[in-house]
């Protein structure tokens, strides 16, 4: 009798853990805490995880298309950021948003508690209001691994 090797594909959560483990240790902890805060804020959104090699991104979307993400968390060697879709159209009287992209703007996140700040919460509410595809009124989102980088490069900053 031949025993077949265990060829089960890792769960999406296990795949995401492996991606997070490639981050700088400081960014690992921050990314996990920001993810928990965003997940709590968007329990009905799907988490769409992208491993770009030099960055890890999780978009929060009503379906399974990244372009429909309302917000996204990005981690790379320079830190963790929260991206807002429709960023150029968002009201930003405190000038918190950074970037010059046509579709998104971001804030650099130093702690997950920053997401509860009234100015950041106002940005989140505005991006929900301007979402291309509205969030469903009920349900529970899933973690979906969307892509894997062809070349695996470490996400740690350059050594000195």
């Amino acid at each position: 009798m031949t025993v077949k090797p265990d060829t089960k594909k890792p769960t999406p959560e296990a795949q995401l853990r492996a991606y997070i483990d490639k981050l700088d240790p400081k960014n690992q902890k921050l990314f996990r805490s920001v993810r928990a805060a965003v997940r709590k804020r968007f329990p009905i959104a799907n988490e769409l995880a992208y491993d770009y090699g030099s960055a890890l991104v999780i978009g929060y979307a009503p379906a399974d298309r990244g372009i429909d993400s309302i917000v996204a968390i990005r981690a790379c060697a320079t830190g963790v950021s929260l991206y807002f879709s429709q960023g150029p159209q968002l009201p930003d009287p405190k000038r918190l948003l950074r970037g010059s992209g046509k579709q998104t703007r971001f804030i650099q996140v130093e702690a997950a508690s920053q997401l509860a700040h009234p100015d950041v919460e106002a940005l989140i509410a505005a991006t929900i209001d301007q979402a291309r595809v509205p969030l469903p009124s009920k349900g529970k989102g899933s973690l979906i691994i969307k892509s894997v980088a062809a070349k695996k490069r470490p996400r740690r900053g350059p050594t000195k």
Side-chain angles (χ1 to χ4, degrees), residues 1-157:
M1 182 159 124
T2 307
V3 176
K4 292 183 181 179
D6 187 11
T7 57
K8 286 184 179 179
K9 187 176 179 181
T11 66
E13 198 63 46
Q15 286 178 284
L16 181 59
R17 269 194 309 273
Y19 298 159
I20 294 170
D21 288 345
K22 294 181 210 170
L23 297 170
D24 180 88
K26 180 181 138 203
N27 288 338
Q28 288 177 24
K29 184 176 180 182
L30 179 57
F31 188 87
R32 285 185 176 106
S33 64
V34 171
R35 178 186 178 216
V38 175
R39 186 59 167 147
K40 185 175 181 182
R41 179 68 173 82
F42 294 98
I44 55 180
N46 286 320
E47 290 181 296
L48 310 176
Y50 297 85
D51 176 20
Y52 291 113
S54 62
L56 173 60
V57 177
I58 299 180
Y60 291 81
D64 64 352
R65 292 175 7 127
I67 193 74
D68 296 330
S69 292
I70 295 169
V71 297
I73 308 166
R74 179 178 187 266
C76 63
T78 59
V80 177
S81 303
L82 182 68
Y83 279 74
F84 298 85
S85 64
Q86 310 304 317
Q89 289 79 38
L90 295 178
D92 184 21
K94 303 284 175 112
R95 298 184 163 269
L96 300 176
L97 296 173
R98 302 285 175 247
S100 58
K102 292 181 180 181
Q103 295 182 357
T104 64
R105 295 287 189 272
F106 69 94
I107 59 169
Q108 196 73 28
V109 180
E110 304 300 328
S113 61
Q114 190 176 340
L115 277 58
H117 189 279
D119 296 332
V120 176
E121 183 55 41
L123 289 169
I124 293 171
T127 199
I128 291 169
D129 289 343
Q130 294 186 20
R132 292 180 213 192
V133 178
L135 286 167
S137 59
K138 59 184 176 179
K140 185 175 188 296
S142 300
L143 172 59
I144 302 168
I145 304 297
K146 293 296 282 186
S147 67
V148 178
K151 289 186 176 182
K152 303 278 186 178
R153 293 182 303 242
R155 292 189 189 95
R156 299 172 194 250

